[in-house]
Each structure stands twice: as structure tokens, then as C-alpha cells.
Amino acid sequence: MNYGEYDIIRPEDIATVEKEMKVLRVSLEEPRKPAEKGLDYSSFINGLLNNPNSTKQDRERIVELLLKERDKGFVTKEQVEQMILEFKGDGGGTIKYGSKHFHDPKRMIGFLYQFSKNDSYKWFTHAPDATNQDFDYEAYVENAKRGFQAIAKGINQYTWNNVYNFIFDTKDAAKDSFNNDIKIRWKDLKVWCMEHRFMHPYYELVDDYTFERYITIFKNTIEFRTDDNNMIFANRIEDFMYDFAIKSSDISLEFLDSFYSIGGSLRVYIDVRQLFTAFVEIGKWIVSNKSKSNKVEFSLDEAEDRYVFSIFHKGSFMNIDDEKLKGLSGDFHKIRNILLNVADWTIEADVKDSSLHIVCLDSQTEYNLNDRKKATVSSANKLEAAQQKIGGVKHIITLYKNIQS
Amino acid sequence: MIYLFEDREERKRQFLGGEFNHSLIQHKPFDCADSKEMVDYIKSNYRDAAAVLLHKSYEFGNKGITIDSVKNGFQNALNIPVVLFSGGSNSNLIREGETITAEINSGVMYRNLTCFLDDYQTNGEVCIPLLVYGKNYRLNQLLEMQAKIYSYVFDRKENDEITQTDKRHILKISRAVTDNGLIDDISKLQNWIEERLTNNNPITVLLLLNQIQNLINKYQ
């Protein structure tokens, strides 16, 4: 996995930051362009601000120094202000280690939305038009890399890695919705872009297909879209359930009318790969419990700011012990981590002699962030007695629209 | 009135070959200041809207406003279709309850815009399928469905029988036809497939393709 240069900053860098900055200031009498090759100071400073080992005092000292550096050409005024804003603001681009974190899929939505609305990222996924006839790959990538940490704040690390791997030059492959490698990514067009300065490679033939094909695969990995009927939510989920998640001929799958009607217009930004991975795990549970019931029903509801997708294993029941019900070990914990910061998840189930609502992921679910590579759900499932018998085991997945509530 | 929210003027002029004026279209910025007051804002400013054409990457002045919130706002305030367009999109008709809307490629939309507006002027109702598929929009939807089904059974022999898995894929393709004027005929085709297979009455590839051709002949 590759997170960028700031990962290699050592703790002692913090203690010597003042000295480092003085040296740099002396060496930079003339203002320099921020994207100039080899001088990615904003990335360096971001690394210092976000180093897991730096203390609050260290960070405050860095901010103090940054304020002094403004207008001196060390970094641009805008960059300094942006970094300070992110550091001081509402969590901003700064990930706070060791403190409480709460499951929040809307951060992921805000991040993925950048590929539609933010000119600094949208041309990674859009066909060129009259407004970007001068596409400069090097400058575009450098600029995107500089802002990446700020826009990717608080998202699932798998989403972070996958997007990073598709748009930047890393050693790891980017994955599609099915967790297969995306054969061609932006780094593979680097040479072409260098040879064709100011041209966008969207329509460039890269193997038997144009690059557009691989960009589209990526777009379908970060969004359920409605512009291609083959790829609408209803069709993708139906195929995925039959062909991958619940691939068992003796289980009957029924998709209700609501699934098709609402699933034809559902449009959300989401890490589809994570969602599909969770469906595979849920599918395994269903298949391993098929002796209890062989009927699974799928439905979909819509509210002002969300969609609620249900996978109902009718007539089944849960017979797991109280410890496992907490969701802090085994498959339960695994799925919670997969869907962390991606989607809410609740199970309604008949359990032994009662029925329960098991809230696995909601806005009160806490997780630990040991370092940038590992976020782990740390709070137990919330258990609530159901008012009436469920009639099976129902997995309820909430997908949020891109609406601020 | 049709409201066009396009913030890429250069592209608009490029597609439309210069300035574009039509009595039934307004190019107006969407400058609602507070997302919580959006429904009232829409009712005050776009009361006469019959449909909205909205660039998917439209840059709203208020950062809290998103494409989804504007779409919801128009639907809640006026219950009208909101068509999203983008240079990076394909084109697809979408049914949202009783409303037909679309996500559409910018080039396709601008190409069909004049005939869409003329049709609206003549009939007094918006016809979103026309915006996506052009003048012969019903026939074109059926031809697209036929092409996809042909492609699906491409390597089959004429006498091969349609299986349950085939049925699932063919119904999926047929569900893409959402035009109100075609729904009855598509339902008949779907029911015919369902009933025959439920009653163990086989459908060969040839029979299926003939049935689809008969449907297309009706609209040619």
C-alpha cells in the first residue's frame, strides 16, 4: 500500500522542524512554484502535521511556523492557509490518532463526489471537453496528490488505497468492484501523456480498448450510476447475488418490485468493492445456514437522504453466543470493518427464544485508528429487543445520498 | 418552461453552434443561498418549470448544495423530471415512480434539444425519451433492446431453448425500456416469457427473436 511521502517522516523530524524550516527558508530566496519537481513542501508539512507520533504541542508549533512562512515563497499563501484550516478546522485533513472516531459514511461520499465536481480530480474520470484542452498530466497529478489527504480525511483505508492506486503512480494495483485488478490505470498512461503534452488520454487506445473503458470500470467502483442500464443498482446487485454472493442453486432468490423500481434510479457514491465484499461474507452466512431456510428476499426503500437495502433470509434464525453477538470477533467483526465508513448495517433476527435488532454500524459506532493503515471497530454491537418476531434474519444496509443533513 | 443549468458556456456554444435561443428554454443560474430553504426557493423562482436539465458537475455557490439535494428539491417542490447531463456520461432513461427522467451524455442532449423543445411547444408536455433517443424514440428504444438481446444469444443455435438464467438476463434487458408508451407491450413480452417457462413450454432462440421482431414491426 502506498500513502505518499509523508508516511516516512520520523518522530525526530518534529523536534527538528524549526531548524529544517530555517534551512529551507534560507535556501529559497526566490518564490517557487508549489508543483516544482522535487520540492513538494506541502506534502512534507502535511506529513509533519499528521505524523502519528507528533504531540499537540508539536503540531501547534508547526502551525505557528507556517503562519510566519506565509508570503515568503516557501509554500504559497493559499497552501499554507489550506493546511492550517484543515488542521484547526472540524477535523479537516488531520487524522487524530488515539482519540475516539465514529463511523461516518458521509465522509466517503464527500470524498468520492470530488471526482464529479472538483476540477482537481474530475478529469481523472471524465472525457475532456472544450474547457480542458490543455491537460497537463504532471501538473495535474502533482496538484491532486497535494490535496489528496485533505479530501480523503476519515475514509475507510481500503477506499483510500484503491483510489490512490488508480490515479497515482504506485506499485499496487487498483481493484474493480469484484476485487480484480484494473488492468490499465493512470500510471500506465504516464509515458503517453509525456509524449503528448497537453492532451487528455481518455480516448487513447491502450490495448484492445481505449483508456475510457478502464476509467469507466473505476467509476463503477466508486459509484452506483444510472447512465448505463447494465450498470444500474438493480441489475448489478441481482447479478452479483446470483453469480457470486449466494451462488447456490438450491437457494431461491426473490427480488421484490421495490428492488427493481427504486433500484433503477438509485445513484450513490460508495466504495462498491467494499460493499460487494460484505455481501460475499453475508452470502456465506446464508449459504452455511441454508438448512434452516432456502429463501432469500431482497427489497429496497428510499427516504429523503438515504436508501435502505434489505437482504432477508426468511425463516432462518441466529444461534450464536452472547460473546459473538457483541461483534468484536470473528466474521461479525470482519464485516463491520469492511463496511466501516462505507454503509450503516443493522441485523434484525430471531435469536433463540427472542428477536433482536443488532445495530452493527451506525453513527455511534466507534473505531480505533492505530496508524493510518489500520482502522478497527472497537465498540460492541448495540442490542435492542424487537417488538415482534422477525421471521428470519434480515440484513439492513443503509446507503446515503449525497445530501447534507 | 425548461430550465437549463449549464456552467460550461463554451461547451454549450460548441454543441449548439453559437448562441441558442428558444422561447421555451431559460438559462438561469441556480443560486439558492440556503439548502434548508430550497423548496421555497424553487417554488418562487421556477414555478413554471416543466423539466430541468442539470449539469452533473454544476458548481453551486453554496457548498452545502449538491446535485442530489437540488434533484430532491425540484421533485419535492414541483414533481418534475430532473435530467442530469455530463460529458462523461452515457445515456439512459430512468423511471422514478411515475416520472420518466434520464441521465444523458451532454452531446446527445444538445443534439436532441431543438426537437425536444419543438415537441414540447407542439404538445404542451415534455417527452424526456425524445431527449435521449431523438425523434423515433420509441422505435430506437426497441431497437436497442433487440440489439442487446441479439448480442446475448449471439452464439446460440436457433433451436436452443431459453433457460431460467437466460430469462433473468432477457428480462433485465427488457426492463431498460421504461417509456410510458411502450410499457404495455414490454409487459406483454415479459409475461409471455414468464408464463411459457413457468408452464414448461419451451421458448427457442428463434421464437424469442421472432417475437421481438413482431413487436418492433408494430412501431416501424
Side-chain angles (χ1 to χ4, degrees), chain B residues 55-66:
Chain B
H55 180 212
K56 202 178 167 190
S57 306
Y58 192 86
E59 196 66 44
F60 300 103
N62 180 339
K63 297 291 178 197
I65 293 178
T66 63

Side-chain angles (χ1 to χ4, degrees), chain B residues 14-220:
Chain B
Q14 191 183 44
F15 279 123
L16 296 173
E19 292 303 320
F20 182 76
N21 291 305
H22 193 290
S23 60
L24 287 177
I25 195 160
Q26 280 208 22
H27 314 253
K28 200 173 171 181
F30 191 92
D31 56 1
C32 176
D34 186 348
S35 58
K36 290 187 175 61
E37 291 168 6
M38 195 184 300
V39 169
D40 289 339
Y41 168 82
I42 288 170
K43 282 181 177 170
S44 307
N45 290 278
Y46 308 99
R47 184 182 298 276
D48 59 345
V52 166
L53 312 177
L54 173 60
H55 180 212
K56 202 178 167 190
S57 306
Y58 192 86
E59 196 66 44
F60 300 103
N62 180 339
K63 297 291 178 197
I65 293 178
T66 63
I67 294 293
D68 285 346
S69 59
V70 173
K71 201 164 185 285
N72 274 8
F74 272 103
Q75 281 162 349
N76 293 339
L78 304 172
N79 195 23
I80 58 168
V82 177
V83 174
L84 299 181
F85 64 91
S86 167
S89 286
N90 294 309
S91 301
N92 187 33
L93 273 186
I94 300 160
R95 175 176 283 278
E96 292 182 358
E98 294 303 307
T99 306
I100 299 293
T101 180
E103 187 166 341
I104 184 168
N105 177 272
S106 307
V108 172
M109 187 196 75
Y110 281 117
R111 200 160 53 237
N112 293 326
L113 189 57
T114 304
C115 75
F116 168 75
L117 292 169
D118 291 346
D119 179 83
Y120 173 43
Q121 192 155 35
T122 306
N123 298 314
E125 282 183 20
V126 291
C127 177
I128 301 298
L130 206 156
L131 202 54
V132 178
Y133 288 98
K135 273 186 178 167
N136 294 317
Y137 58 91
R138 289 205 171 121
L139 178 62
N140 285 340
Q141 285 174 78
L142 292 174
L143 289 172
E144 185 179 83
M145 178 188 78
Q146 183 187 44
K148 285 180 177 171
I149 291 175
Y150 263 112
S151 171
Y152 179 73
V153 297
F154 177 72
D155 56 354
R156 307 288 181 84
K157 295 190 181 90
E158 287 186 343
N159 290 330
D160 283 355
E161 290 180 9
I162 299 298
T163 65
Q164 288 293 332
T165 302
D166 295 335
K167 181 189 85 172
R168 178 162 64 85
H169 285 284
I170 290 161
L171 292 181
K172 185 174 77 179
I173 294 168
S174 71
R175 276 196 299 271
V177 182
T178 52
D179 187 298
N180 284 330
L182 293 170
I183 283 292
D184 287 347
D185 281 334
I186 290 296
S187 293
K188 278 182 200 164
L189 176 70
Q190 291 169 337
N191 291 339
W192 176 77
I193 296 169
E194 287 273 17
E195 280 171 20
R196 278 192 77 113
L197 293 188
T198 304
N199 296 326
N200 292 321
N201 197 355
I203 300 173
T204 62
V205 167
L206 182 63
L207 183 58
L208 174 72
L209 296 180
N210 282 340
Q211 203 66 356
I212 292 166
Q213 187 58 52
N214 288 340
L215 173 57
I216 286 173
N217 291 344
K218 195 175 156 183
Y219 291 89
Q220 271 180 325

